[in-house]
Amino acid sequence: MTIQWFPGHMAKARRQVEEKLKLVDFVMELVDARAPLSSQNPMLQQVLQSKTKMIVLMKRDLADQRITEQWINYFKEKEIPAIAVDVNDKTDIKKVIQLAKSLGQEKMDKLMKKGIQPRPARAMIVGIPNVGKSTLINRLANKKIAQTGDRPGITKHQLWIKVKKDFELLDTPGILWPKFEDQMVGYRLAAIGTIKDQLLSLQDIVVFVIKYLQVHYPALLKERFNIDHDMEDMWEIFKLIGKQRGALESGGNINLDKVSEIVLQDLRSGRLGNITLESPE
């Protein structure tokens, strides 16, 4: 199955990124720490490959810290500086600013050598929808500039933001790519709430999540839902969760969609535990 989703404003956003790229010194790319590779837009990689880049792994507070460290090393091996961030941690915000300043300083040093008056470094911030871009911008600027929300695709235009005297940030709309060739990419992004729930069957997403947890986080699954790693009958698993959490219809039948919503809410909120849905291996 190929998931296709490419609204007109996404195509326009890509063109805007290409046009504005020459105005900036480096790119700040945001990914979700729970699925760092799946939340990288492959279409944008082609556009950005000529620019210096840093990667910000967002929502580190929801991800598996051990695997987050593996991802940071993975990007560093590709000579791309990376940092994991919880937007509510002021120390993390300071680290983002420090890393951005260091990347910008390289550009400023080159200008000074050419006898050009240095200016604030300029960065473009990019990322797929619902990765937390607007919230990070507000934290960096220390005031509410970008609109935030839990719906994918809030930002529809581009906006320059000053971050203290350190650098200027060009905001861009979240961009998805035309289609997900890899079904697992679609499931990961759906599981963490990056793409709209209506694009995939909630039950299919939850089956993917449960099977993944049975292999990689069996203790968390057992603790939260009393599901063993070797349980294979998905109907029995859904029934078990439904009875525990009161997801029943009249007549005592299990409401499968309600069960699916419960599991996804527990995953996305962190109530299930710190979980990452892919690793560099």
Side-chain angles (χ1 to χ4, degrees):
M1 176 182 59
T2 300
I3 307 162
Q4 297 199 32
W5 187 48
F6 204 43
H9 78 267
M10 295 287 178
K12 181 181 178 183
R14 175 186 168 159
R15 289 196 300 272
Q16 289 176 335
V17 168
E18 290 178 306
E19 290 167 5
K20 302 291 186 182
L21 204 56
K22 57 182 175 289
L23 301 178
V24 301
D25 305 313
F26 65 97
V27 173
M28 186 183 295
E29 182 180 15
L30 274 53
V31 300
D32 194 305
R34 295 166 296 176
L37 208 57
S38 291
S39 58
Q40 265 197 311
N41 185 336
M43 184 180 73
L44 271 186
Q45 304 314 305
Q46 301 166 6
V47 176
L48 302 177
Q49 60 185 355
S50 62
K51 279 287 179 182
T52 300
K53 183 171 75 170
M54 62 181 278
I55 293 212
V56 181
L57 291 93
M58 299 289 289
K59 306 181 184 179
R60 71 161 178 82
D61 48 310
L62 297 175
D64 184 329
Q65 183 178 348
R66 178 180 57 85
I67 300 180
T68 297
E69 290 298 328
Q70 293 176 13
W71 278 111
I72 288 173
N73 291 332
Y74 167 88
F75 288 118
K76 285 182 177 177
E77 286 173 5
K78 296 182 176 295
E79 298 184 342
I80 303 172
I83 184 171
V85 168
D86 169 4
V87 291
N88 295 313
D89 187 327
K90 291 182 179 179
T91 302
D92 283 2
I93 301 302
K94 288 179 182 177
K95 289 178 180 177
V96 172
I97 293 174
Q98 289 168 356
L99 180 54
K101 278 178 66 176
S102 67
L103 290 180
Q105 192 59 48
E106 294 176 17
K107 176 69 175 182
M108 296 309 101
D109 290 344
K110 290 178 181 177
L111 291 178
M112 290 178 68
K113 286 180 181 177
K114 294 178 180 178
I116 301 172
Q117 185 69 23
R119 52 164 174 76
R122 295 172 186 151
M124 178 185 289
I125 185 166
V126 300
I128 64 175
N130 217 27
V131 77
K133 184 158 58 66
S134 296
T135 306
L136 179 63
I137 288 170
N138 291 334
R139 296 290 191 275
L140 290 172
N142 201 27
K143 56 184 174 182
K144 186 170 182 179
I145 293 176
Q147 185 181 0
T148 62
D150 59 4
R151 292 180 295 108
I154 290 277
T155 309
K156 296 291 194 302
H157 60 283
Q158 293 172 319
L159 177 72
W160 282 99
I161 299 110
K162 287 189 176 181
V163 180
K164 298 181 179 179
K165 295 180 180 179
D166 300 315
F167 60 94
E168 295 174 350
L169 202 55
L170 178 60
D171 187 17
T172 59
I175 309 175
L176 277 175
W177 51 107
K179 56 186 177 181
F180 302 134
E181 300 287 1
D182 183 349
Q183 184 176 339
M184 290 299 104
V185 169
Y187 280 136
R188 291 184 196 109
L189 295 183
I192 60 179
T194 297
I195 60 177
K196 296 175 181 177
D197 286 339
Q198 296 89 334
L199 291 175
L200 277 174
S201 159
L202 284 184
Q203 294 175 32
D204 287 348
I205 300 167
V206 170
V207 168
F208 159 76
V209 169
I210 289 172
K211 286 182 176 179
Y212 186 87
L213 296 178
Q214 284 180 314
V215 174
H216 300 279
Y217 298 96
L220 295 180
L221 196 60
K222 177 72 173 177
E223 181 183 354
R224 187 67 180 172
F225 297 121
N226 198 29
I227 295 170
D228 292 320
H229 68 92
D230 56 353
M231 287 182 68
E232 296 182 358
D233 190 326
M234 279 296 156
W235 165 245
E236 290 298 325
I237 289 174
F238 272 68
K239 193 162 70 170
L240 181 61
I241 297 171
K243 287 181 176 179
Q244 290 173 14
R245 304 292 285 276
L248 304 174
E249 297 174 334
S250 57
N253 294 322
I254 303 298
N255 186 325
L256 299 179
D257 284 337
K258 184 65 176 176
V259 170
S260 300
E261 289 172 5
I262 288 168
V263 174
L264 290 178
Q265 286 170 4
D266 282 0
L267 173 71
R268 293 168 183 174
S269 65
R271 286 191 292 269
L272 241 172
N274 290 73
I275 291 165
T276 299
L277 295 176
E278 62 183 351
S279 65
E281 294 99 34

